[in-house]
Amino acid sequence: MLLSEHEALQIGVRLVYDPADPLAVRMDFPGAPDRVEPWTFSRDLLYAGLREPSGDGDVRVWPPCRCHGVGTVRILLRSSFAAAVLFVPADELRDWLDETFASVPAGEESAHLGWEEALERLLRPGRP
């Protein structure tokens, strides 16, 4: 569904964190009226965006400000054909991120990446 820059649509968004992929966050859109593919981006990008403007590619994050609502973080998702700005409650995002960092602390992500399994698959004789 395409909307103009002057239209807004309230949809549900679900953030998913998997400790097996500790550097990434997936954003699902179960409340969208049309099928919207999930977006995957850096957990650190979201965390940094709580404090300062962050990102320089398809995903950008801005902290709460007076002009857009002190209690919301803005997340820009941009593809080759469309863009959307999501307004996410800052306190809820911060609490959710705190839970992800309790699960896999910053700086310990590489211990959860499963390097051994990936290396074993690469070195397996007769691999496809």
Side-chain angles (χ1 to χ4, degrees):
M1 168 181 280
L2 295 176
L3 301 174
S4 76
E5 64 186 77
H6 304 289
E7 294 177 288
L9 177 67
Q10 186 170 346
I11 62 170
V13 173
R14 178 176 49 228
L15 292 171
V16 179
Y17 182 73
D18 181 358
D21 190 8
L23 298 171
V25 167
R26 188 179 80 232
M27 184 179 282
D28 295 334
F29 300 89
D34 295 334
R35 177 164 163 66
V36 178
E37 292 296 321
W39 283 69
T40 302
F41 46 90
S42 166
R43 173 176 75 160
D44 289 343
L45 172 65
L46 276 183
Y47 183 70
L50 287 169
R51 296 178 315 283
E52 61 188 12
S54 301
D56 58 7
D58 293 338
V59 179
R60 297 180 186 197
V61 183
W62 291 273
C65 69
R66 288 187 197 149
C67 60
H68 290 97
V70 176
T72 61
V73 171
R74 290 166 293 141
I75 301 173
L76 169 68
L77 303 176
R78 185 173 47 200
S79 71
S80 60
F81 64 90
V85 177
L86 307 173
F87 292 83
V88 178
D91 290 339
E92 290 178 34
L93 178 60
R94 186 176 293 107
D95 291 346
W96 183 83
L97 282 167
D98 287 346
E99 289 179 27
T100 73
F101 284 109
S103 174
V104 178
E108 295 182 19
E109 294 92 350
S110 63
H112 294 264
L113 285 174
W115 293 108
E116 295 80 20
E117 295 85 8
L119 185 58
E120 183 180 307
R121 281 193 307 270
L122 286 172
L123 297 176
R124 185 180 313 137
R127 68 178 176 87

